[in-house]
Amino acid sequence: MISDLRSDPAQRAGAVLTIDLGAVVANWRSLRDRVAPAECAAVVKANAYGLGVARVVPALAAAGCRTFVVAQFEEALAVRAVAPDARILCLGGLPAGTAPDFTANRILPVLNHLGDIAAWQAHARAQGAALPAVVHIDTGMNRLGLGPDELDTLAGDLARLEWVDVRVWMTHLACAEADSPMNGRQLEDFRAAVARLPAAERSFANSSGIFHGPAAHFDLVRPGCALYGVNPTPATANPMRGTIRLDARVLQVRNVDNAMTVGYGATHRVEARGKIATIAVGYADGYLRSLSGRGHVFVDGVAAPVVGRISMDLVTVDISHLPDGAVTPGGLVELIGPNRPVDTVADEGGTIGYEILTSLGARYHRVYRDPPPPEVA
Ligand SMILES: Cc1ncc(COP(=O)(O)O)c(C=O)c1O
């Protein structure tokens, strides 16, 4: 049994993750306005890209978002639990035996191949009613969705769609760059595919696709990363607002002399007298080991380099250039935030913002900032 705790959980935690739901909502609104009259959904798979589905979904639903997209059935249930009226699309197809659970919870399966379509048809026929679903047409990812041969089979035998109430035909873009020749090919193939099929909503663009121009918007767009502040326009400045801030606690500050090394493997050698701060975050928190010797934290807006290897729970930072007293045990330093956007941390770690977000640690103390109340007219 745990005794009564009297201390502040934020004080006990190694790091504090602040999530600005107002920024998430502002990002969604700006995308919604950009694509209107198309509908703007929100992709909230992987726990809303690490930000927390239980808080992100209600905030977006209150702002007017009606459609949410997840990858797996359990994620769809987590959305349903907090958004009773939302339309929920589940990208991962129709695992065997799950069709009744989709129907009972009003979750739309995204049918990815002819086998999925046949299984949904059989389920609907057994219910005696056409049942709603989404169908994914592959136009170049070669990952999920009906390939060209399956599309030919379906378009040549529309009886396969009897009892299947297709609400949305969707495809997914391979390239984020607006000038990739792949985009035009996928657009053409998608247009040609839906022209062979019964009318329904069409959905083409993810976050980056939204910035490829109105031809990519169709009826429904599916942004994920842009909602959470990752740059959807890799070649130009980020049009989205940052949504998270990660501050981690200083555990110890120590003087080091030349000829000393720092951390596992003794990979960092101190070249002159200096100061090292040890911070309570590590790769177990999603602060990637690949940031070893490459990342930066910020102290009152001044960068301090990560030195030595990142370990499971600790990061060591060279603060020799900072005045005495600038960093003290118990204080916080910025790892992600206005000085270090998610995309910059990702670049330093040799990855993408998506991975930084979806790796955000379970040990962080989370603080949610609610969106401002709606203005009364
Ligand atoms: C099918 C599908 N649609 C939309 C998205 C959202 O993509 P993004 O986060 O790039 O906006 C994803 C994410 O991987 C996806 O798999």
Side-chain angles (χ1 to χ4, degrees):
M1 201 181 92
I2 297 168
S3 308
D4 279 352
L5 298 170
R6 298 185 184 180
S7 54
D8 176 355
Q11 204 66 31
R12 294 196 298 267
V16 178
L17 177 67
T18 307
I19 297 163
D20 183 351
L21 295 172
V24 177
V25 166
N27 286 339
W28 180 78
R29 287 198 170 116
S30 81
L31 298 173
R32 174 201 63 187
D33 294 349
R34 179 177 282 272
V35 303
E39 182 188 343
C40 187
V43 179
V44 293
K45 60 196 172 101
N47 198 23
Y49 287 46
L51 272 69
V53 93
R55 299 298 299 265
V56 167
V57 166
L60 288 173
C65 182
R66 293 187 293 109
T67 300
F68 294 90
V69 182
V70 296
Q72 300 189 1
F73 185 78
E74 301 301 316
E75 296 179 328
L77 288 185
V79 175
R80 177 57 74 225
V82 293
D85 302 324
R87 175 163 78 155
I88 304 174
L89 276 54
C90 187
L91 295 168
L94 194 62
T98 59
D101 293 335
F102 276 88
T103 314
N105 290 286
R106 293 171 289 121
I107 295 161
L108 299 188
V110 174
L111 308 175
N112 285 318
H113 51 76
L114 292 177
D116 274 353
I117 293 175
W120 194 245
Q121 183 184 54
H123 169 62
R125 185 178 277 131
Q127 303 293 301
L131 293 176
V134 176
V135 175
H136 188 163
I137 299 163
D138 182 31
T139 54
M141 279 289 271
N142 280 301
R143 198 175 64 162
L144 288 175
L146 273 66
D149 50 345
E150 288 203 310
L151 175 65
D152 283 346
T153 306
L154 185 67
D157 179 13
L158 291 176
R160 288 170 183 264
L161 290 174
E162 249 180 81
W163 301 95
V164 180
D165 174 9
V166 179
R167 296 287 169 92
V168 183
W169 303 107
M170 63 161 275
T171 193
H172 189 49
L173 278 166
C175 300
E177 299 73 17
D179 59 358
S180 164
M182 199 60 198
N183 303 331
R185 283 203 293 275
Q186 289 195 264
L187 192 61
E188 258 175 50
D189 287 355
F190 186 57
R191 283 216 186 96
V194 293
R196 302 168 72 189
L197 296 164
E201 281 175 61
R202 298 149 304 162
S203 181
F204 183 77
N206 62 340
S207 298
S208 297
I210 288 172
F211 293 84
H212 296 175
H217 296 165
F218 290 93
D219 304 301
L220 176 72
V221 297
R222 308 182 312 272
C225 74
L227 298 175
Y228 311 109
V230 169
N231 187 359
T233 59
T236 54
N238 190 351
M240 314 313 299
R241 275 174 61 178
T243 61
I244 63 163
R245 181 180 171 115
L246 178 63
D247 295 289
R249 195 165 306 286
V250 178
L251 295 179
Q252 191 169 342
V253 176
R254 57 192 306 133
N255 295 318
V256 286
D257 218 331
N258 42 3
M260 282 179 156
T261 61
V262 179
Y264 283 126
T267 54
H268 180 72
R269 175 167 284 277
V270 176
E271 300 298 348
R273 276 186 75 81
K275 283 177 296 181
I276 299 287
T278 305
I279 314 293
V281 73
Y283 60 75
D285 301 298
Y287 198 70
L288 304 182
R289 197 163 173 275
S290 57
L291 288 160
S292 300
R294 296 169 68 180
H296 290 82
V297 310
F298 277 77
V299 180
D300 295 331
V302 181
V306 171
V307 292
R309 282 192 191 151
I310 289 173
S311 47
M312 190 183 290
D313 319 297
L314 300 170
V315 168
T316 37
V317 177
D318 189 340
I319 53 161
S320 309
H321 56 300
L322 299 178
D324 283 341
V327 180
T328 50
L332 294 171
V333 298
E334 176 190 334
L335 274 60
I336 303 175
N339 289 295
R340 228 39 179 183
V342 169
D343 289 310
T344 310
V345 177
D347 281 348
E348 288 182 334
T351 183
I352 51 176
Y354 299 70
E355 191 178 22
I356 299 293
L357 290 180
T358 56
S359 304
L360 287 169
R363 296 191 292 193
Y364 295 152
H365 176 72
R366 288 179 173 235
V367 176
Y368 285 92
R369 301 245 179 276
D370 285 319
E375 279 170 29
V376 184

